[in-house]
Each structure stands twice: as C-alpha cells, then as structure tokens.
C-alpha cells in the first residue's frame, strides 16, 4: 500500500483513496457498492461537487453537495466531502456535524483540524492522535500541533489585550522585492517577522526555539496577542535571501484573528481586536482555506467574462504569478512558447505576461508571470487542480484588509487613494518620488537576484504550507484599473 501525506497542513492524499481506506478499516461496504446504491440524481450532484471542489470552486461545490445531502443525508462519502467543503469555508460546526459517527483517519484528521481552529485543544489532540495512529499517514503538522494542544490546557488561543488596534511601520527590507516584513515583539523581545500566507501557523526560527511552543506577540507596544501557537523551522535561508534577520513567519491563522491590514506602499501594518467595516472604494475577494490552512482565491484571466482561475495565495513568493501549463492556457499563452528567463542558469524558467487579471471588481493589466516553478507538486500535496500561485508582486500595489475572520479580503487601489488625497488637498501637483516608495519597475520584474536556479522556492517546509520564496526573483504588476463594482 502506498504512503500518502495526509495534511502538512496542505497534506497529500486522494479523496477517493482515503475514502476507500476509511471504509475498509471500518468494515463498511466498498465505495463502488455505495455508489451503485446511491440514487442517480444524488450521485450526479456528488460527482459535480467533487469536480468543483477539485478545482477549488468552493461556492459551487458547497451548493452541489448540499443538494446531494438533501437526497442521501446519511451517505458517508457525501458527508465527508461536505465536511471538507465546510472546513474550507471555515464552518467548523458544520464540519463536525457532518462527520458525527464517521470513523477512519480521514474523518479524524478533518475533525482534528476543525476542533483546532475552533479552539477546542484537548479534543483536537485526541482526533489528530487518532489520525496519526494510521500507519499510512505522515503528517508533520499534526505532530507539532498535537504537542501544542496537549501542552495548551487552560489556554485561550489568540486572546487579545491592550489597545483596540495597533499600526506599525512596514519596512521595505529589499530594493528588489516587496516582502511583507513586520516589526513585532515575541515574548517581549523585538524581532522582524514576515507575513507568509503559505503557512497556516506562526513559525519560529528553530535556532531560537527548537520545539513548538506557546508565545505572545505584541504589535506597536499597544496590542498583544496571548497564547499564540507556534511551530518551528530553520529560517536562516529566509534571512539570507532578504538580508534581514527574520525570526518568525506569520501564518493565516494569526492574520484571521488580527483582522489585519497590509499596506506595502503606505509602509503600514494594522492589527485589530475587531472586524473592521468595509473600506471605501474597495472590492471584495472571497477566500477559502484548503484543510483550514491553505488560502485560495478565485479570480479571472481576461476581465469580467474571462476564464475563471483558482490561485493559492502565498505572500512569501515574490513572483506576481507562477502558473502551470493550464493556467497559461487560460491566460491565452502556450507555456512552452514563453521566453526563457535569461538569469536562470538552468534555463528552465520561462516568463510571460497575463493580459488581464480580475480580482474582485478590479482589472489588473499586463501582469508578469512565470512557468517552471513546481505548481504540479503543490497540486499533488493539496489534492487539487489549481492554476498557479499568486505572490506579493501582484498584491503589493493594493491595500489589503482581511475581514469576516479571514473569509474575505478587501482590496483598495492605492493609486486611486493617492488621487483622492490630492483632490481633497486641492493640489494638482504630483507627489514627490520618495513620498510613496513603490514596487520595482513592473516592466522588469526579474531584477538581479543571485542563485535563481538554485534549489528552493515553493517547496513545502516541515511545518506545512509553502516555503518562503526560495530564490525566486522579485516581481511587480502594473497599477490596476477599477471596474464598476457589481
């Protein structure tokens, strides 16, 4: 029997393979028998939900599995698929309801994640331990989280105290790439941390913390987050790449609790103890989380009526876009015909331009992207067919605010904000060049960066998620055009 990687947090297993294994272990009929017994209409909705989920179209998958469940509410395969979709929507109560009474390592893993993100530490540890008892499961994330959960008795994860909000300076540590680096205090000691949406949890440098631990974080000496779970990883490569001592990666679980705003051009990071109202002149982009930790967004290539695409959001990757062959096809290009990146010593990386990327109601023209990064490897790990990865080069021109506990983000066009500020001030003079430090030249997204072809970039670290950037060259995108809000 082949081994599978069950959650890192973006684990590797096939839905049908894991379902069949769970059925065999529980002594239930085979998946084929269940499918034959399932009414034809219910099976069609089930198959449609599986296909929608596979391409990370979570909203359509949710609608389809609801219709299947209305016909066969006790079908274990349909319920497990519904639970996976509910977890992607951060609906923990629905995840647990659908899995009630279902046995097997897959169900235990899903329950464990829902309980963990819900804050029920002891129950989460029990379920994750049950999953790890399956000899076919390899899950480093679950091992570390189980240790934290067992040591977390009496803790309230992500408890906030102090001011309602704190705004800190977002330094530009590299002249070549828009890394999101935030000053923070870790257990009272000043440090630099990088926002890394490719990781579910906070990750500390293993040189300072050899074991997963509970920590406190303080922003701007005003707002403190207590009982923050943190995994460990060697971050020396990240520090070397950026030329700055990075002591932590801030993952999506923390960002969701902080209701954070990231404003790269404005040099500002805002942490809040409350969910902010929708910003003016912003567009809404819904987010989903594969296995509760992998941030996925849906957009379009080619404007409002263009091709729908699913992209993993990884703020530690400096390319604006890294697409697979299917993603470039949706963008109107043949991957093998793209121009080879001259700086790549192995001559395997190719670059191109996506004519138009739609995020929410914003159309971003002429977005640089690459082909040749291991997107297919990521797809195998998350058992999904995505079109690629979206990095900081595309996000940095926007002010980004996470809302509804991370289920959505608001994007504000900073170029339009500057225009409004000038209009309100009654001045028609342009701002000085150093007033709003910006991105690298968008026409030259692949600036000088040594070691472009060396190993690294988009590879899964031991703690789960995507590795921070590797030796990927920086990227930028032209300022977006605002489309009418729908």
């Amino acid at each position: 029997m082949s081994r599978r990687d069950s959650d890192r947090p973006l684990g590797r297993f096939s839905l049908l393979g894991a379902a069949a294994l769970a059925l065999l272990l529980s002594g239930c009929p085979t998946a084929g028998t269940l499918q034959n017994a399932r009414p034809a209409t219910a099976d069609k909705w089930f198959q449609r939900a599986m296909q929608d989920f596979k391409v990370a179209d979570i909203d359509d998958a949710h609608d389809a599995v609801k219709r299947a469940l209305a016909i066969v509410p006790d079908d274990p395969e349909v319920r497990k698929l519904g639970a996976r979709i509910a977890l992607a929507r951060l609906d923990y109560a629905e995840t647990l309801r659908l899995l009630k009474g279902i046995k097997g390592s897959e169900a235990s893993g899903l329950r464990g994640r829902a309980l963990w993100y819900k804050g029920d530490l002891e129950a989460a540890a029990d379920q994750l331990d049950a999953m790890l008892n399956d000899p076919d499961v390899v899950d480093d994330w679950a091992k570390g989280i189980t240790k934290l959960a067992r040591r977390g008795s009496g803790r309230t994860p992500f408890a906030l105290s102090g001011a309602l909000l704190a705004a800190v300076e977002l330094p530009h540590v590299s002249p070549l790439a828009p890394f999101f680096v935030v000053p923070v205090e870790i257990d009272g000691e000043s440090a630099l941390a990088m926002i890394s949406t490719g990781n579910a949890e906070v990750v500390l440098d293993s040189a300072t913390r050899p074991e997963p631990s509970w920590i406190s974080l303080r922003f701007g000496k005003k707002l403190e987050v207590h009982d923050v779970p943190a995994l460990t990883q060697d971050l020396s490569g990240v520090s070397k790449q950026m030329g700055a001592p990075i002591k932590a990666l801030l993952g999506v679980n923390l960002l969701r609790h902080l209701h954070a705003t990231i404003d790269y051009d404005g040099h500002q990071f805002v942490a809040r103890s409350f969910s902010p109202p929708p910003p003016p002149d912003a567009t809404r982009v819904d987010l989903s989380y594969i296995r509760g930790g992998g941030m996925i967004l849906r957009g379009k290539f080619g404007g409002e009526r263009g091709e729908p695409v699913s992209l993993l959001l990884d703020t530690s990757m400096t390319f604006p876009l890294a697409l697979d062959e299917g993603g470039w096809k949706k963008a109107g290009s043949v991957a093998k015909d793209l121009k080879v990146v001259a700086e790549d010593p192995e001559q395997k990386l190719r670059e191109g331009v996506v004519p138009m990327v739609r995020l929410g109601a914003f159309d971003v023209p002429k977005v640089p992207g690459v082909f040749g990064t291991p997107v297919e490897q990521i797809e195998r790990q998350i058992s999904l067919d995505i079109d690629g990865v979206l990095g900081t080069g595309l996000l940095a021109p926007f002010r980004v605010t996470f809302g509804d506990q991370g289920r959505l983000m608001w994007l504000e066009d900073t170029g339009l904000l500057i225009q409004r500020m000038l209009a309100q001030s009654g001045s028609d003079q342009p701002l000085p060049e150093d007033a709003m430090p910006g991105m690298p030249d968008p026409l030259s997204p692949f600036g000088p960066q040594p070691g472009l072809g060396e190993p690294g970039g988009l590879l899964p670290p031991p703690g789960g998620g995507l590795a921070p950037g590797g030796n990927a060259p920086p990227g930028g995108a032209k300022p977006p055009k605002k489309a009418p809000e729908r």
Side-chain angles (χ1 to χ4, degrees), residues 82-138:
R84 294 179 69 189
I85 295 168
L87 185 57
R89 292 162 53 88
L90 305 185
D91 189 343
Y92 311 128
E94 179 69 358
T95 303
L96 297 171
R97 184 188 73 80
L98 288 170
L99 293 172
K100 187 175 181 179
I102 297 181
K103 298 180 180 181
S105 58
E106 181 189 5
S108 294
L110 291 170
R111 269 193 296 264
R113 305 191 102 72
L115 291 164
W116 170 254
Y117 293 123
K118 184 173 176 285
D120 192 339
L121 304 184
E122 185 175 352
D126 290 341
Q127 290 298 317
L128 292 175
D129 270 341
M131 179 191 68
L132 292 170
N133 284 334
D134 183 344
D136 289 309
V137 171
V138 178

Side-chain angles (χ1 to χ4, degrees), residues 266-295:
H267 287 251
Q268 191 178 68
F269 174 83
V270 180
R272 302 177 181 85
S273 60
F274 60 93
S275 184
D281 301 324
T283 189
R284 168 177 171 156
V285 178
D286 291 327
L287 300 172
S288 56
Y289 294 84
I290 301 307
R291 298 191 180 93
M295 187 181 285

